[in-house]
Structure formats: structure tokens, C-alpha cells
Amino acid sequence: MHSFAYCHGTLHCEGVNLDQLAAKEGTPLYVYSKRTILEHYARLKEALSPLDAEVEFAVKACSNIAILNLMAHQGSGFDIVSGGELFRVIQAGGNPHRCTYAGIGKTQQEIQFALEQGVYAFNAESEAELVAINAIAGQMGLIAPVSVRVNPNVEAGTHKYITTGKSENKFGIDFERIEPLYEWAFRELPNIRLKGLQMHIGSQLTKAAPFVEAVRKTAPLALHLKNKFNIEFFSIGGGIGIVYQNSLESASKSWWDQTPEQLTIKTYADSIVPLLQPLGLKIIVEPGRLIVGNAGALITRCLYEKQGKAKTFTIVDAGMNDLIRPALYQGYHQIIPIAEHPDRPNIVSDVVGPICESGDFMAQNRSLPQVHQGELLAVLSAGAYGFAMASNYNSRPLAAEILVDGNSWHVIRKRQTWNDLIAGESIP
Ligand code: LLP
């Protein structure tokens, strides 16, 4: 679900008129609905309630400290992948003891910081990393809590760049090598405590079957490790997909009555809870996109209309530096006008940004009600991996971010200025 809907002909986020908001705060502008974020978190918690489950929000999806603060207040833990993300969680008032630290390339400085802060566990992804964590913990006179990420070699059925659970991916350790690895670590690495087992097979999964296959394959291993090494948790990662196409239309339906082939919180939970319940382990899930994806939109203004020989272009002021998903993953985002004009004909155009690359588009060959210069569009379902992946490419300042709460809103990140662009640079 989400909280973007037309009211008297103008798109609103919750009770906030997006035309007025854009006039005040400028564009491009990221807007998030607090209500949607809270609702997604609550529904997931509820669906997993038969388990001893911990939800850890994947910070990488949307790392603004206001969003992290909101999640922390709901009782969420955090899936982090860098020292910077841990720093953000702490600044946001989150609890480092509720963080698990994943990623294949943790530096010595990051491991040290995470140990100082007392993270719940490191999700280690190689033997060499285990050795490094053991050594650093030893120097600090600490025992490091560790789980190992298992690569179950399961096809997630998503874009190849966000598939992570196949043997050819750089993530995790091959399924067959996990047990000998735990035996070795138990024997040889005295500054490590084997605390759990982790996996994550990919992102934007739209079917329950790959989750089921991965859990079916890995749950017996988790149980075995529990019996042998007394591990206390099994983390099944994130990856729950969201609706990108026609999300405005499906928002009016509840999560519970969408079409059966669509992955919903309910179908996800119904398919995995029975497999996980008998383990008697704490179960961690690490959703990012599910929580914030449909909660955010990117508001952009049409700068020019341009008729080419082969195509019509709608040139907008948001580029691939603001939202890279269409360029990088051929990601589809529904685009709708902020002002409804039911009388206007649809035209087919490429909605493109100002960046000097032909890969800079929000949509190609998209049928949309005609948009004229100066008018506003909303790029929907942009809350996850939108702003978080934004850059200053072409020396474009980062967009502002707004959190809407009912009829009120707050600037949770100021728009960058040109001075911000060169802060830290110097001429020798
Ligand atoms: N846990 C781990 C270990 C992960 O690597 C990820 C995402 C998550 C949890 C959260 O996954 P989610 O629930 O959000 O699917 N930039 C891409 C997505 C990259 C996902 C990276 N890992 C995109 O825009 O589609």
C-alpha cells in the first residue's frame, strides 16, 4: 500500500498537497509517507508474530536519519553494511546492539568501530574476514559475535545485479563448506563466538517460491549448527519485492487481498513461518524495499517538451543522479502527473533527465497524459534505493527529502547548494 492519492485533482501524500509542497521546497524532491512506513513495518511484525522474529531495517534502502529514527522508535533493529551506516544508526538514536553488520569488504577500522559499539553480530562472508575479525577482537580483548552468510545457490528470479544467492555471486560461503568452516572457527578462532547463520538470496523477489526453496535448504543446516555450536539466530535476509507497476491503483487494495500470484507480506509469511517455527531459533529478517519503497516518490518538474524525429521527449529536472534504478536495472517506476487532467490525451514519450548520457531516463516509450513545460510529475515507488543511491554526477546538488506526517511535513534533508558541491575540495 501507499499514501499517494489524488484529492480534488491534485496528488497528495497523506494530507499534503504535492503541488504546494514542490512550489515551496523546489524540485527534484523526495517525499516519504510516515504512515506507509509504519504500516508496512507493523504488518510485517504482525505476520511474523508466530516466530521469535526480529525485523532489522536494511539501512542501505533509505538511510536518512529521520527514517532510521522512525524505525528505531518502532523497535526495529538494523541491517548495516558499513561503518558509515552504523554511524547513521547511532546518530538517529538506534541501538547498535540491535544491528547486524553484513558485507564482504569490512575494513579494519570498520570492524573495530563495530566492536566498540557492540553490534549484535557480524555477518561474515569469507574465511579471511573471520580471521581478521578474530585478530581485531583479540587486540581489543573482546569476543566478537559472528554469524556466517551461507550462499544456498538458489535462483531468486530477479535482476542479475541484485541476485546474491547463486554460487557465482560474490556473497556468502558455499553451502557445503559451512559446517567444516564452523568447526574450524570454533577450534581455531578463540576471539569469535559463533552466534548465528545468515543468508540473503536477492532483492525485489516477487514470488514466495525462491524464499521457500532457500529456507527449505538452509533450515536443517541452521538446526544442526544450533545443536552443535549453540547458535541463537537464523537470519533469512531481506528481498521481499514490491509492486512497481500500477502501484497507485493497487494502493487502494489492502495487502491482504491483492492477486494471489503477487507476493504479499501475508503470502511471504505464510510460506516461510511453518518452516522456521520448528527451529526454535530467533529469526531475523532484513527488509529494506518492502518498508520504504512504496512510501516514497520523487517529484520532478517538466523543463521542456521536445519532439525528435523518432521520439517525443519529456525533459524533467530529475536525472539518473537522483534516481538511477531505471538506468542501472531497467527498473520500472510508475509516473503520474501531480495535477489530474482527465481531458488530456495520453502521449508516448521518453521521460528523460538533464544528464549528459542517453542512459539518463526515468521511463522510455511510456504512455502518459501529456505534460507541459513547468508541470509536475511524481515518480512513484522511489522510496527505496532512490535517494540512497543518488550522486552529484554532472555537479548536480542532491535533492531535498521531506517526511510527511498527516497534514504536516518536515524537511529531513536540505537541498544541497553549489557550495556543498565543492566543500572539501581544494586547489594546490
Ligand atoms: N540484507 C542484505 C544482506 C542485503 O544485501 C540487502 C540488499 C537487504 C537485506 C535488503 O534487501 P531488500 O529487502 O531491500 O530487497 N539497489 C538495488 C537493490 C540492492 C539490494 C542490495 N541488498 C535496487 O535498487 O533494486
Side-chain angles (χ1 to χ4, degrees):
M1 60 82 67
H2 64 63
S3 303
F4 292 88
Y6 288 105
C7 178
H8 303 301
T10 304
L11 192 68
H12 284 57
C13 175
E14 300 191 19
V16 172
N17 178 316
L18 293 176
D19 184 56
Q20 289 168 5
L21 181 63
K24 179 125 203 311
E25 292 301 331
T27 52
L29 189 67
Y30 273 95
V31 180
Y32 308 98
S33 154
K34 177 174 171 180
R35 182 167 76 204
T36 308
I37 295 173
L38 297 186
E39 174 138 355
H40 289 173
Y41 178 78
R43 282 177 186 260
L44 183 61
K45 279 294 274 187
E46 164 68 23
L48 297 175
S49 60
L51 302 171
D52 172 16
E54 163 103 346
V55 174
E56 292 189 342
F57 175 61
V59 172
K60 65 176 86 60
C62 186
S63 55
N64 186 292
I65 57 171
I67 305 291
L68 302 183
N69 175 268
L70 191 61
M71 296 306 296
H73 272 111
Q74 303 314 299
S76 179
F78 297 95
D79 159 48
I80 56 168
V81 292
S82 67
E85 286 193 352
L86 178 55
F87 175 77
R88 279 184 175 278
V89 169
I90 295 167
Q91 295 304 308
N95 184 348
H97 310 319
R98 308 274 304 280
C99 291
T100 55
Y101 183 3
I104 61 167
K106 305 174 184 80
T107 65
Q108 169 149 4
Q109 182 209 9
E110 288 178 313
I111 293 169
Q112 213 169 320
F113 178 52
L115 281 168
E116 277 161 14
Q117 297 301 322
V119 294
Y120 177 67
F122 291 88
N123 292 331
E125 306 221 21
S126 64
E127 287 88 342
E129 183 191 332
L130 285 169
V131 169
I133 295 173
N134 181 66
I136 296 165
Q139 285 156 19
M140 295 172 73
L142 297 171
I143 303 291
V146 166
S147 68
V148 173
R149 176 166 174 177
V150 54
N151 183 327
N153 195 23
V154 165
E155 181 58 63
T158 183
H159 191 278
K160 63 178 179 182
Y161 289 177
I162 49 178
T163 293
T164 54
K166 291 286 287 172
S167 299
E168 59 266 34
N169 300 134
K170 66 181 180 179
F171 298 100
I173 292 184
D174 296 323
F175 183 86
E176 300 73 22
R177 288 171 51 215
I178 291 287
E179 193 186 345
L181 182 79
Y182 275 62
E183 276 163 8
W184 164 78
F186 188 73
R187 237 186 11 250
E188 305 289 334
L189 306 178
N191 307 315
I192 274 178
R193 177 183 159 216
L194 294 165
K195 197 170 176 182
L197 179 71
Q198 200 267 352
M199 71 171 171
H200 171 77
I201 59 171
S203 191
Q204 183 54 15
L205 275 67
T206 52
K207 301 257 181 318
F211 289 115
V212 171
E213 190 186 342
V215 170
R216 268 193 210 288
K217 183 162 182 187
T218 326
L221 176 64
L223 189 59
H224 184 65
L225 298 174
K226 177 190 169 199
N227 294 334
K228 204 160 169 184
F229 302 104
N230 207 18
I231 65 167
E232 67 181 45
F233 75 88
F234 178 29
S235 169
I236 59 168
I240 309 162
I242 61 166
V243 177
Y244 279 100
Q245 306 241 354
N246 300 325
S247 68
L248 194 72
E249 292 76 3
S250 45
S252 55
K253 300 186 199 158
S254 83
W255 270 103
W256 311 96
D257 55 29
Q258 293 191 353
T259 55
E261 63 275 9
Q262 229 159 27
L263 183 70
T264 64
I265 291 176
K266 183 166 166 29
T267 51
Y268 172 77
D270 284 353
S271 61
I272 57 161
V273 164
L275 304 172
L276 294 167
Q277 217 166 5
L279 299 180
L281 284 164
K282 173 167 161 173
I283 303 298
I284 297 180
V285 291
E286 304 166 352
R289 192 186 317 259
L290 172 76
I291 304 289
V292 288
N294 284 327
L298 173 60
I299 312 303
T300 183
R301 203 174 283 280
C302 173
L303 295 173
Y304 305 105
E305 301 160 80
K306 174 170 166 173
Q307 186 59 59
K309 193 165 162 191
K311 284 196 162 193
T312 303
F313 298 99
T314 304
I315 303 171
V316 298
D317 66 2
M320 66 193 284
N321 70 298
D322 299 296
L323 179 66
I324 203 172
R325 299 197 70 263
L328 194 55
Y329 316 107
Q330 298 74 51
Y332 180 100
H333 288 264
Q334 188 178 7
I335 301 178
I336 55 173
I338 298 282
E340 256 184 325
H341 290 290
D343 47 318
R344 281 209 196 152
N346 271 30
I347 61 154
V348 174
S349 75
D350 280 16
V351 181
V352 298
I355 298 278
C356 299
E357 297 206 22
S358 294
D360 175 30
F361 55 84
M362 297 286 149
Q364 288 180 306
N365 302 319
R366 184 73 62 85
S367 175
L368 283 178
Q370 189 159 18
V371 185
H372 297 304
Q373 194 169 15
E375 292 179 346
L376 292 162
L377 290 169
V379 183
L380 298 180
S381 312
Y385 309 107
F387 186 90
M389 295 180 78
S391 77
N392 287 127
Y393 188 40
N394 277 204
S395 287
R396 290 167 45 81
L398 292 175
E401 292 177 287
I402 305 287
L403 183 62
V404 167
D405 181 8
N407 295 327
S408 64
W409 50 272
H410 189 86
V411 180
I412 58 172
R413 192 182 214 280
K414 282 198 286 195
R415 183 176 304 284
Q416 275 188 333
T417 64
W418 286 343
N419 272 321
D420 293 330
L421 291 177
I422 56 165
E425 295 182 22
S426 63
I427 299 170

